[in-house]
């Protein structure tokens, strides 16, 4: 008999795969992770994702068919209705992967695919420490930049399941070329990969910088060296948080949320990211909207993808039960 109170969640990221079993109250019964290794291609990565899911079930003491459902979070674009991944920029060669069919066949339970940042927004809304919030924006600053929206207490998916692509809010219309083909998107400045790339470009000049001693510059290295006072790293970091702050101001004006939650790997920089983004966004947004909004770091941290995918699976079960 499937356990109606537990779901398996699978989180497919460009850098890491994660899996876990979650109960309805948001309690994680297991949580496991492994590197994605995108260069191996979708077949090999999906095989390891399914193995990771089995590991999460074993760790939680469940059989593969013991779950109510399986929730899957993945970067967009994707089609949640047919359950297909449609070529996310962070997953090369995943041009049309029927992930829901593959997961359903492997675990014998119904599966649900959700945009990972949309799912994370739901996870943070339902299982974060936030109280009395009806309107919330979630922004993930990771390999890319993505987002999700809770409007009037409900998850907003948009017309085709890809609503909330905040990474492509334009902060400079003549600006840097983005992976989406447009210029000046916030993702082209503030994603982990964009921060690292901009630092590498700056290092091509002859300006002195402590980053020259780093093999393989990452966003984390830029944050660390900026905090230690390196002027080049400081400039790159400040531009990144300024771009993010501007994008958040645009979104606050559009939505007038009570809460903006910032998550994803780049937010491990903590206050070095939160404080300048908060200052810029609340300083630039229209006054009533700025006065209504709080900006905070994700409370769920590295587990937000799995908690979100699980929350999405529960939501889908409940929606199914109501229709
Ligand atoms: Zn873009």
């Amino acid at each position: 008999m499937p356990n109606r109170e537990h779901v398996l969640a699978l989180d497919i990221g460009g850098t890491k795969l994660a899996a876990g079993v979650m109960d309805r109250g948001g309690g994680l019964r297991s949580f496991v992770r492994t590197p994605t290794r995108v260069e191996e291609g979708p077949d090999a990565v999906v095989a390891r994702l399914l193995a990771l899911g089995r590991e999460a079930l074993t760790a939680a003491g469940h059989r593969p068919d013991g779950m109510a459902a399986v929730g899957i979070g993945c970067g967009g674009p994707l089609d949640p209705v047919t359950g297909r991944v449609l070529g996310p920029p962070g997953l090369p060669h995943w041009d049309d992967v029927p992930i829901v069919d593959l997961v359903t066949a492997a675990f014998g339970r119904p599966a649900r695919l959700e945009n990972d940042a949309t799912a994370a927004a739901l996870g943070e809304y339902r299982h974060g420490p936030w109280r009395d919030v009806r309107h919330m924006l979630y922004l993930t600053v990771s390999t890319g930049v993505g987002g999700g929206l809770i409007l009037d207490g409900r998850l907003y998916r948009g017309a085709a399941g890809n609503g909330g692509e905040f990474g492509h809010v334009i902060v400079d219309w003549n600006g840097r070329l983005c992976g989406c083909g447009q210029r000046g998107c916030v993702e082209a400045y503030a994603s982990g990969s964009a921060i690292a790339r901009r630092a590498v470009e700056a290092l091509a000049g002859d300006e002195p910088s402590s980053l020259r001693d780093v093999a393989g510059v990452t966003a984390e290295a830029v944050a660390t060296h900026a905090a230690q006072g390196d002027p080049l790293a400081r400039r790159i970091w400040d531009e990144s948080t300024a771009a993010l702050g501007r994008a958040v101001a645009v979104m606050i004006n559009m939505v007038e949320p009570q809460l903006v939650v910032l998550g994803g790997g780049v937010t491990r920089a903590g206050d070095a990211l939160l404080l300048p983004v908060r200052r810029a966004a609340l300083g630039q947004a229209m006054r009533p909207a700025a006065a209504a909004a709080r900006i905070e770091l994700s409370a769920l941290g590295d587990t937000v993808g799995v908690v979100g995918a699980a929350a999405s699976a529960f939501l889908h079960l409940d929606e199914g039960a109501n229709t």
Side-chain angles (χ1 to χ4, degrees):
M1 264 296 284
N3 185 330
R4 298 290 297 170
E5 297 303 313
H6 288 185
V7 297
L8 173 65
L10 305 172
D11 180 31
I12 309 169
T15 309
K16 289 209 171 65
L17 303 174
V21 170
M22 194 180 91
D23 62 41
R24 191 174 273 280
L28 276 182
R29 303 303 177 105
S30 63
F31 179 68
V32 286
R33 289 201 295 175
T34 189
T36 307
R37 300 205 291 266
V38 282
E39 66 280 5
E40 293 179 357
D43 291 352
V45 173
V46 169
R48 284 192 294 105
L49 177 74
L50 299 177
L52 195 70
R54 289 187 199 98
E55 196 183 320
L57 288 169
T58 305
H62 281 292
R63 287 162 27 126
D65 59 358
M67 300 286 97
V70 185
I72 310 162
C74 186
L78 47 79
D79 185 339
V81 176
T82 62
R84 303 178 92 87
V85 180
L86 302 174
L91 294 169
H93 311 300
W94 288 58
D95 298 325
D96 187 6
V97 176
I99 191 71
V100 162
D101 288 349
L102 296 169
V103 167
T104 303
F107 295 106
R109 302 304 305 149
R112 167 77 186 176
L113 175 64
E114 194 87 71
N115 178 291
D116 54 0
T118 305
L122 182 69
E124 195 73 47
Y125 179 71
R126 288 224 165 149
H127 302 300
W130 324 110
R131 295 289 168 264
D132 303 320
V133 170
R134 302 281 297 164
H135 311 287
M136 188 191 100
L137 288 169
Y138 177 83
L139 193 68
T140 177
V141 191
S142 180
T143 314
V145 176
L149 264 176
I150 304 290
L151 294 180
D152 206 17
R154 292 177 66 90
L155 180 66
Y156 178 81
R157 295 193 179 94
N162 293 285
E165 285 282 11
F166 300 145
H168 307 283
V169 167
I170 290 172
V171 293
D172 177 357
W173 68 352
N174 293 313
R176 293 175 64 87
L177 195 59
C178 178
C180 75
Q182 301 300 313
R183 286 197 176 276
C185 301
V186 65
E187 180 169 290
Y189 296 86
S191 70
S193 45
I195 294 170
R197 201 176 312 121
R198 284 170 44 248
V200 168
E201 286 171 16
L203 289 167
D206 50 13
E207 184 180 346
S209 170
S210 56
L211 280 173
R212 294 193 184 280
D213 302 331
V214 177
V217 171
T218 59
E220 196 179 349
V222 175
T224 304
H225 287 247
Q228 290 165 356
D230 179 66
L232 184 149
R234 178 89 255 163
R235 189 172 72 244
I236 300 292
W237 185 257
D238 288 349
E239 284 171 9
S240 308
T241 56
L244 264 180
R246 170 55 65 103
V248 172
V250 170
M251 296 181 286
I252 286 176
N253 284 343
M254 278 170 49
V255 175
E256 201 177 84
Q258 293 154 302
L259 175 67
V260 178
V261 176
L262 307 173
V266 177
T267 64
R268 282 193 212 113
D271 280 353
L273 180 123
L274 175 65
L275 299 182
V277 170
R278 185 188 273 161
R279 195 178 323 117
L282 298 182
Q284 291 169 32
M286 302 289 284
R287 214 175 312 141
R294 287 165 62 195
I295 303 177
E296 305 289 350
L297 293 177
S298 163
L300 301 177
D302 290 342
T303 64
V304 69
V306 161
V307 172
S312 162
F314 276 120
L315 179 64
H316 196 58
L317 285 171
D318 296 343
E319 284 174 342
N322 291 336
T323 50

